[in-house]
């Protein structure tokens, strides 16, 4: 029976760490009978979620999904890749926090799961959960870093409700895959600086035999939190560091370098709203 572990995030709970770990240790993973697909544009598997979000966003544009026709074409392409690569003995892991943050209705979740069930007999969902008062400032800081003109406000927090309402999120997925097919990882503030602890919880929840021989990826600069001072400076710089250049090409490489330097120049505790 073909088996799939589907890691759905949530936001700001170590998803990048898990993805880097799996990508960096693909050979070790393969030796245990597991596969971590590498035929997509990025290290994670965001496209498997984006093709079921009907509204085209900036993120879709980043992946070249600029129209409904392109989304349909990409869905067919991914379906073909799975048909070619998945066998009755396959054990795969697919991971993207967009499964939890972008698929916000039962219909969207059911479409994504139905697509995957065409290829996998058994689907187990792994979700990481973090307290919302820690998630929201981190999400705000990340929005500012990636060039979205966000202002800390009640309205900003309300817009994140679908992604951070843990009870509704788990209920939504349970209605589609069943509660017995969902495992949760606690993301604890006291443990977030300990990648070994997080990886251990991920291994327990997913059933992937990760051990001490696996190479632990370095901490990602992309997820380094800015201080309140850094956030304030970056918002002033925003007009000069657009996400997209006038010719339509991405400017994120330059922006990431600027954010990294800014984090070095404005040390301090992560942004926390008053």
């Amino acid at each position: 029976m073909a088996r799939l572990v589907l890691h759905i995030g949530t936001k700001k709970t170590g998803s990048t760490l898990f993805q880097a770990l799996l990508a960096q240790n693909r050979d070790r993973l393969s030796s245990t009978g597991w596969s971590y697909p590498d035929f997509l544009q990025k290290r994670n598997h965001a496209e498997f979620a984006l093709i079921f979000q009907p509204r085209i966003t900036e993120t879709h544009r980043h992946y070249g999904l600029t129209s409904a026709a392109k989304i349909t074409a990409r869905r067919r392409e991914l379906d073909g890749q799975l048909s070619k690569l998945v066998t009755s003995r396959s054990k795969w892991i697919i991971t993207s926090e967009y499964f939890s943050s972008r698929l916000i209705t039962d219909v969207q979740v059911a479409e994504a799961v139905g697509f995957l069930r065409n290829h996998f007999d058994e689907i187990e969902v792994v979700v990481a959960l973090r307290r919302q008062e820690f998630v929201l400032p981190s999400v705000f800081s990340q929005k500012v870093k990636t060039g979205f003109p966000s202002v800390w406000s009640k309205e900003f927090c309300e817009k994140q409700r679908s992604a951070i309402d843990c009870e509704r999120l788990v209920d939504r997925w349970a209605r589609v895959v069943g509660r017995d097919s969902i495992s949760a990882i606690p993301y604890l503030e006291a443990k977030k600086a300990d990648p070994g602890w997080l990886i251990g919880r991920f291994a327990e929840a997913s059933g992937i035999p990760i051990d001490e021989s696996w190479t632990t990826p370095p901490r990602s600069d992309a997820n380094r939190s800015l201080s309140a001072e850094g956030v304030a400076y970056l918002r002033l710089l925003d007009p000069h560091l657009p996400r997209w250049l006038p010719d339509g090409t991405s400017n994120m490489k330059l922006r990431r370098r600027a954010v990294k330097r800014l984090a070095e120049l404005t040390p301090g505790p992560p942004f926390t709203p008053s």
Side-chain angles (χ1 to χ4, degrees):
M1 293 177 65
R3 179 186 173 196
L4 172 67
V5 168
L6 182 64
H7 171 236
I8 65 171
T10 54
K11 284 183 176 182
K12 315 307 291 182
T13 57
S15 297
T16 303
L17 172 68
F18 302 146
Q19 291 154 5
L21 177 79
L22 295 168
Q24 200 164 313
N25 294 277
R26 229 180 222 107
D27 291 342
R28 287 185 174 88
L29 194 62
S30 179
S31 70
T32 65
W34 286 85
S35 297
Y36 187 63
D38 60 355
F39 56 84
L40 300 179
Q41 298 178 43
K42 306 291 180 183
R43 184 169 56 196
N44 67 49
H45 306 127
E47 289 165 274
F48 277 109
L50 293 174
I51 58 174
F52 297 101
Q53 183 187 15
R55 183 174 62 86
I56 295 174
T57 66
E58 286 279 347
T59 308
H60 286 79
R61 182 181 173 188
H62 182 69
Y63 284 86
L65 303 172
T66 54
S67 67
K70 287 190 176 182
I71 289 176
T72 300
R74 188 59 175 144
R75 191 184 299 194
R76 289 190 186 123
E77 188 178 353
L78 292 175
D79 192 46
Q81 291 277 13
L82 291 176
S83 296
K84 188 188 306 180
L85 297 171
V86 177
T87 70
S88 60
R89 293 181 295 176
S90 290
K91 292 191 293 184
W92 277 39
I93 179 161
I94 290 176
T95 164
S96 175
E97 58 271 31
Y98 288 158
F99 281 107
S100 58
S101 64
R102 300 298 183 111
L103 307 185
I104 60 174
T105 68
D106 286 21
V107 170
Q108 291 167 1
V109 171
E111 285 181 348
V113 171
F115 175 85
L116 293 168
R117 276 181 175 153
N118 288 332
H119 305 280
F120 297 96
D121 305 296
E122 191 177 317
I123 297 178
E124 300 162 49
V125 174
V126 175
V127 58
L129 303 176
R130 184 181 183 188
R131 284 169 52 176
Q132 292 94 329
E133 70 267 34
F134 297 111
V135 174
L136 282 169
S138 186
V139 170
F140 174 76
S141 177
Q142 189 67 26
K143 288 278 189 184
V144 173
K145 283 161 59 180
T146 52
F148 289 98
S150 302
V151 176
W152 180 262
S153 63
K154 179 181 177 181
E155 289 71 26
F156 170 82
C157 296
E158 286 292 339
K159 286 182 179 178
Q160 309 306 313
R161 180 182 293 276
S162 63
I164 65 165
D165 190 329
C166 300
E167 186 173 5
R168 288 189 182 182
L169 169 66
V170 173
D171 282 346
R172 187 160 62 241
W173 281 85
R175 284 192 289 270
V176 176
V177 300
R179 288 193 176 274
D180 291 342
S181 296
I182 300 178
S183 298
I185 303 170
Y187 185 96
L188 305 180
E189 301 309 304
K191 296 289 188 179
K192 69 179 182 180
D194 181 359
W197 188 88
L198 279 173
I199 289 168
R201 303 293 78 72
F202 178 67
E204 289 173 5
S206 65
I208 296 171
I210 301 170
D211 60 39
E212 294 78 9
S213 69
W214 285 43
T215 304
T216 303
R219 192 175 183 88
S220 171
D221 284 329
N223 283 327
R224 182 189 295 183
S225 296
L226 285 175
S227 65
E229 186 181 23
V231 167
Y233 271 118
L234 188 55
R235 294 191 65 207
L236 290 174
L237 291 172
D238 267 346
H240 311 286
L241 290 169
R243 288 170 56 84
W244 301 95
L245 297 174
D247 64 359
T249 57
S250 173
N251 194 38
M252 286 306 295
K253 187 176 289 187
L254 176 62
R255 190 175 180 92
R256 280 192 291 268
R257 289 205 302 269
V259 169
K260 181 180 178 181
R261 183 65 178 137
L262 192 59
E264 294 167 351
L265 292 170
T266 56
F271 166 79
T272 303
S274 59

